[in-house]
């Protein structure tokens, strides 16, 4: 496939790297030469230093024969303009990154389709969906629905009590078994396993299965004793927190702790129709956490704009007895470190958005 991406930020570069491993004909366009640095020499990508909304640049990049055009610059209006131009030039399918939730409303989608935009990607909504999926399955680190939910991919940390440790996968994942181990993360390395590989204690194993067999997976990995999530504390009241609170299942009680008083007022307006409680304070304050019932909380979600704060807050919540913790880590350099600290689920909006577009393409 021929894919043209405009915007060499974290989403664009991560998506380009994913595509390069699949040997697609990939072009990455950005008007900042520094952001493009090394992409064409380190990966099988053609990097073009030009304006993403230049008709000449788009023509030179071969947009007219593109199977997919992706607009993921930092600017919503630029992405929409670039996708409209790409469609007019002949691109078969276009995807635009947006920052306005209103655009996702079903009644607005035909309007964007008429502009030549086939799909809209809002990273905060995708991140919130991942968070909610993780809270619904408290014993799972990561969950993805594949092929519109026909398959489910579960990332599970293997602890004592897992009954499928130290056995060759050829004996576990046969044609009659309702799951398949597609990857294993061990000591920072990712393993694509063969039949003779075995699962070890503390591995992060990725199970592909169907939704009906999720209870069976829970049993064989020894997670049946994990308490389901009913009480959630969210630290940080940004866009992702709002989207998560608005889509939280009815049986979950949500508290949002926000340090900025003006933002608390805005949160009360945005969540007026929701049962979420907004608390003005510092989510790192142990006294406040105890006062708000941290000992009876099953999940702690840290969504401030500071990765270090989120990681430390989750470590603190773990020490206070919270089993399920989720940390927003926007700095990609910190992701592997955060995973090594065993704090729970790591959310990065940029990689979530890139992975979503990659799945759409597949």
């Amino acid at each position: 496939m021929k894919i043209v991406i405009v915007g060499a930020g974290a989403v664009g570069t991560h998506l380009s790297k994913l595509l390069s491993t699949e040997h697609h004909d990939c072009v990455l366009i950005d008007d900042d030469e520094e952001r493009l640095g090394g992409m064409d020499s380190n990966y099988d990508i053609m990097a073009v230093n030009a304006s993403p909304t230049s008709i000449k640049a788009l023509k030179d990049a071969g947009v007219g024969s593109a199977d997919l055009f992706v607009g993921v610059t930092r600017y919503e209006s630029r992405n929409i303009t670039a996708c409209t131009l790409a469609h007019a030039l002949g691109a078969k399918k276009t995807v635009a990154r947006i920052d306005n939730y209103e655009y996702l409303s079903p009644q607005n989608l035909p309007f964007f389709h008429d502009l030549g935009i086939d799909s809209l990607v809002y990273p905060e909504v995708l991140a919130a969906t991942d968070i909610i999926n993780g809270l619904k399955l408290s014993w799972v680190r990561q969950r993805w629905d594949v092929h519109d939910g026909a398959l489910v991919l579960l990332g599970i940390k293997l602890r004592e009590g897992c009954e499928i440790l130290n056995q060759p996968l050829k004996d576990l994942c046969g044609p009659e078994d309702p799951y398949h181990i597609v990857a294993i993360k061990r000591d920072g390395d990712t393993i694509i396993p063969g039949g003779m590989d075995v699962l070890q204690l503390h591995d992060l194993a990725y199970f592909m299965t169907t939704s009906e067999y999720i209870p069976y997976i829970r049993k064989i990995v020894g997670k049946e004793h994990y308490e389901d999530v009913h009480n959630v504390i969210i630290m940080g009241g940004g866009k992702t927190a709002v989207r998560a609170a608005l889509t939280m299942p009815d049986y979950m009680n949500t508290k949002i702790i926000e340090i900025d008083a003006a933002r608390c007022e805005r949160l009360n307006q945005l969540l007026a129709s929701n049962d979420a409680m907004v608390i003005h304070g510092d989510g790192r304050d142990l006294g406040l956490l105890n006062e708000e019932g941290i000992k009876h909380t099953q999940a702690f979600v840290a969504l401030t704009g500071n990765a270090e704060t989120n990681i430390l807050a989750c470590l603190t919540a773990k020490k206070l007895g919270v089993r399920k913790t989720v940390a927003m880590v926007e700095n990609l350099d910190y992701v592997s470190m955060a995973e090594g600290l065993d704090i729970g689920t790591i959310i990065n909006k940029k990689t979530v958005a890139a992975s979503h577009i990659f799945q759409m393409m597949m």
Side-chain angles (χ1 to χ4, degrees), residues 253-270:
N253 302 309
T254 310
K255 294 179 181 179
I256 300 176
I257 301 177
E258 169 57 46
I259 200 167
D260 183 86
R263 182 60 183 170
C264 284
E265 290 183 18
R266 180 60 179 151
L267 287 171
N268 280 319
Q269 294 170 6
L270 293 170

Side-chain angles (χ1 to χ4, degrees), residues 229-242:
V229 172
H230 294 285
N231 299 311
V232 183
I233 290 179
I234 299 176
M235 183 177 79
K239 290 181 181 179
T240 305
V242 171

Side-chain angles (χ1 to χ4, degrees), residues 34-106:
E34 232 177 87
R35 275 200 223 108
L36 291 169
M39 286 298 292
D40 52 355
S41 56
N42 296 328
Y43 300 94
D44 188 16
I45 297 164
M46 185 171 85
V48 177
N49 181 213
S51 168
T53 53
S54 163
I55 294 175
K56 180 181 183 305
L58 295 177
K59 284 182 176 178
D60 291 345
V63 164
S65 60
D67 297 290
L68 179 67
F69 181 89
V70 182
V72 285
T73 74
R74 290 176 293 172
Y75 306 105
E76 175 183 76
S77 57
R78 200 175 224 195
N79 297 332
I80 291 171
T81 301
C83 285
T84 303
L85 292 172
H87 173 77
L89 290 171
K92 290 180 183 150
K93 188 172 183 180
T94 66
V95 180
R97 175 186 176 178
I98 60 167
D99 295 310
N100 189 334
Y101 185 70
E102 178 192 9
Y103 292 168
L104 291 178
S105 176

Side-chain angles (χ1 to χ4, degrees), residues 120-145:
L120 300 171
V121 172
Y122 189 170
E124 282 76 11
V125 170
L126 296 175
T129 300
D130 272 11
I131 290 167
I132 298 301
N133 283 340
L135 295 181
K136 287 178 180 175
L137 299 175
S138 63
W139 48 279
V140 168
R141 284 288 179 91
Q142 296 165 305
R143 170 187 169 157
W144 296 276
D145 289 329

